[in-house]
Amino acid sequence: METIGYINTPYDEKFAVPRQPGLAPHAVSTIFFYPPYDDPLAFEGLEGFSHIHVIFLFDRIKKTEFSARVRPPRLGGNRRIGVFASRSPFRPSRIGLSVMKLEKIGKNSHGGVFLVVSGADLTNRTPIVDIKPYVPFVDAVPDAKGGFADQAPKLHEVCFSKKALDDLNDLNFGEIAAIKETLAQDPRPAYKNRGEDDKVYGFGMYRHEIRFKVSAGTILVESGERVTDL
Amino acid sequence: METIGYINTPYDEKFAVPRQPGLAPHAVSTIFFYPPYDDPLAFEGLEGFSHIHVIFLFDRIKKTEFSARVRPPRLGGNRRIGVFASRSPFRPSRIGLSVMKLEKIGKNSHGGVFLVVSGADLTNRTPIVDIKPYVPFVDAVPDAKGGFADQAPKLHEVCFSKKALDDLNDLNFGEIAAIKETLAQDPRPAYKNRGEDDKVYGFGMYRHEIRFKVSAGTILVESGERVTDL
């Protein structure tokens, strides 16, 4: 499968990546293309579209024997469901599909195109295999029935400690907002969701190690120390 | 790229295949899966979804050198546009993506699953690489801007001659409706669209050779003889 480029996202690791696209709209990402796919001619006309379909590879999933069922986080991680009834990365094709908002079509110093997008739900440096314009009259089916994923997940309250805000001092407003949106979905392993626990969890975002715990339904960010060796 | 199955559609050849999914809703197709992907467990939960994303391969497109621009039929076939601003099959990944309505989850005599779908825009026997549930809260962006393809194409009036109706006598109402929907989009090569010409065009659908011409904006089906050797 030909790889045309890769995406830079705020998510340094799998943990905390939103479970669907669009859930953290402030998370701004950049899609870079390898030559010859960065040719401005290849993107002519894309400026008229507000959204794109990004087709990518779940490259961190090892190819294993086919497993017919998966445990989606949406169902608490305990109930199993068919892999083709899910968006699970553990699928024969290893192909992922996300709708993203196209924020900007940019050019690098060599004249090559890059795309700035928001709402990505991909790990940093995920390989991209295709970009297609989102065509609302065919792709938007607002009255479609969404099975077990019929509604957006419930969001949690997020609070930052004084130390966390100090730690994240070098980030801008949009980056803080993206961290907040990411945490609001409760990124704990699914089987812990909706439960209380005393554990402190951590994940990397914007090269900071975000540490949080959950108390009385609120996500409490305790620290966000800068990671230098990522 | 792992192929999980193939689709049977009414479209015996590339000519006349709708240029986007959903344009010929009466065109009913069946997706068959190779073992082990036909395992009913792999589809558990899919019955709650009304639509699916079908990811397929443009297998009849030869792999050639990368061409940054294409001539989409939507723009009359003369104006060029970037390949990543189009849904053209001539793309590096050769991956296609269509939203289809899920009509039925069926089982064959060996207990293997097949899916009955409508609105397909694929040639008969196109290889399928993945099926994903269409999740409206992430996939439906009704207010997205659709660039040069912002609206569904204008439909033409379609009339059948007495001979054509006699020829298509063995087809049922839904099949005739699908032929009508397919013709209403004027399947002539794009550069002929909206123009008048005296030529008779033909294409295969439901194992009939449909022959038509265009007169005063109306598509006139002259004959639809049964093809025995397809």
Side-chain angles (χ1 to χ4, degrees):
Chain A
M1 176 59 40
E2 187 78 10
T3 297
I4 62 171
Y6 64 94
I7 189 167
N8 269 6
T9 77
Y11 307 107
D12 302 328
E13 51 189 306
K14 209 183 83 183
F15 189 86
V17 173
R19 283 161 198 157
Q20 297 297 346
L23 297 180
H26 277 92
V28 174
S29 303
T30 309
I31 303 176
F32 295 100
F33 298 92
Y34 305 124
Y37 307 121
D38 62 346
D39 186 342
L41 294 178
F43 297 87
E44 227 177 80
L46 193 62
E47 66 284 351
F49 292 86
S50 61
H51 290 71
I52 55 174
H53 267 128
V54 178
I55 302 182
F56 57 94
L57 284 183
F58 291 109
D59 65 323
R60 264 152 275 193
I61 303 293
K62 269 195 204 137
K63 220 176 143 64
T64 53
E65 224 173 297
F66 175 64
S67 171
R69 297 202 292 177
V70 294
R71 302 170 195 261
R74 264 313 268 273
L75 297 173
N78 294 317
R79 228 185 93 197
R80 288 189 189 197
I81 206 172
V83 63
F84 298 127
S86 84
R87 302 277 201 132
S88 164
F90 299 93
R91 53 201 318 115
S93 66
R94 301 199 309 158
I95 289 179
L97 171 68
S98 291
V99 179
M100 295 181 200
K101 187 155 183 259
L102 179 60
E103 300 285 353
K104 187 188 153 180
I105 303 178
K107 271 188 201 172
N108 64 28
S109 56
H110 300 92
V113 165
F114 62 86
L115 302 180
V116 179
V117 295
S118 62
D121 57 340
L122 311 186
T123 314
N124 191 21
R125 301 196 67 85
T126 294
I128 304 300
V129 293
D130 204 3
I131 301 289
K132 290 179 199 284
Y134 184 91
V135 179
F137 86 85
V138 291
D139 293 318
V141 190
D143 59 345
K145 277 198 292 171
F148 62 89
D150 214 17
Q151 282 171 7
K154 201 181 139 278
L155 298 181
H156 290 66
E157 201 67 40
V158 179
C159 294
F160 291 82
S161 73
K162 171 79 175 67
K163 171 164 171 42
L165 285 176
D166 284 347
D167 289 344
L168 301 169
N169 194 30
D170 62 324
L171 299 185
N172 64 35
F173 179 82
E175 291 168 332
I176 299 282
I179 291 176
K180 213 169 157 172
E181 289 160 352
T182 301
L183 282 162
Q185 297 157 63
D186 191 351
R188 290 178 297 167
Y191 58 90
K192 302 261 187 185
N193 270 6
R194 290 173 205 96
E196 300 279 318
D197 63 13
D198 289 330
K199 232 181 116 178
V200 176
Y201 295 88
F203 64 95
M205 205 168 155
Y206 296 118
R207 297 155 311 282
H208 283 263
E209 170 75 14
I210 316 291
R211 293 171 68 82
F212 70 97
K213 63 186 208 183
V214 184
S215 182
T218 298
I219 311 269
L220 216 77
V221 187
E222 299 197 326
S223 63
E225 281 171 30
R226 172 98 194 170
V227 181
T228 44
D229 57 348
L230 251 177
Chain B
M1 176 59 40
E2 187 80 9
T3 297
I4 62 171
Y6 65 94
I7 189 167
N8 270 7
T9 77
Y11 307 107
D12 301 329
E13 51 189 306
K14 210 184 82 184
F15 188 85
V17 172
R19 283 160 198 159
Q20 298 295 347
L23 296 180
H26 277 92
V28 174
S29 303
T30 309
I31 302 176
F32 295 99
F33 298 92
Y34 305 123
Y37 307 120
D38 63 346
D39 186 341
L41 294 178
F43 297 88
E44 225 177 82
L46 193 61
E47 65 284 350
F49 293 86
S50 61
H51 291 71
I52 55 175
H53 267 129
V54 177
I55 301 181
F56 58 94
L57 284 183
F58 291 109
D59 65 324
R60 263 152 276 193
I61 303 293
K62 270 194 204 139
K63 221 178 143 63
T64 53
E65 224 174 295
F66 175 64
S67 171
R69 299 201 292 177
V70 294
R71 301 170 195 258
R74 262 317 265 275
L75 296 173
N78 294 317
R79 229 185 92 197
R80 288 188 188 198
I81 206 172
V83 63
F84 298 128
S86 83
R87 303 279 201 132
S88 164
F90 299 93
R91 53 200 320 114
S93 65
R94 301 200 308 158
I95 289 179
L97 171 68
S98 291
V99 180
M100 295 181 201
K101 186 153 184 260
L102 180 59
E103 300 286 351
K104 188 188 152 182
I105 302 177
K107 271 189 201 172
N108 63 28
S109 56
H110 300 92
V113 164
F114 61 88
L115 302 180
V116 179
V117 295
S118 61
D121 57 339
L122 310 185
T123 314
N124 191 21
R125 302 195 67 85
T126 294
I128 304 299
V129 293
D130 204 2
I131 301 288
K132 291 181 198 284
Y134 184 91
V135 179
F137 87 85
V138 291
D139 294 317
V141 190
D143 59 344
K145 278 199 292 171
F148 62 89
D150 214 15
Q151 282 171 7
K154 201 181 139 280
L155 298 182
H156 289 66
E157 200 68 40
V158 178
C159 294
F160 291 83
S161 72
K162 171 80 173 67
K163 170 164 170 43
L165 285 177
D166 283 348
D167 288 345
L168 301 169
N169 193 32
D170 62 324
L171 299 185
N172 64 36
F173 178 81
E175 290 167 333
I176 298 283
I179 290 176
K180 212 168 157 171
E181 288 161 355
T182 301
L183 282 162
Q185 297 158 62
D186 191 351
R188 289 179 298 166
Y191 58 89
K192 302 260 185 185
N193 270 5
R194 290 173 204 97
E196 299 280 317
D197 63 11
D198 288 331
K199 230 182 116 178
V200 176
Y201 294 88
F203 64 93
M205 203 169 156
Y206 295 118
R207 296 156 313 283
H208 283 262
E209 170 74 14
I210 315 291
R211 292 172 68 83
F212 70 97
K213 63 187 208 181
V214 183
S215 181
T218 298
I219 311 269
L220 214 79
V221 188
E222 299 198 326
S223 63
E225 281 171 28
R226 171 99 195 171
V227 181
T228 44
D229 58 348
L230 252 176

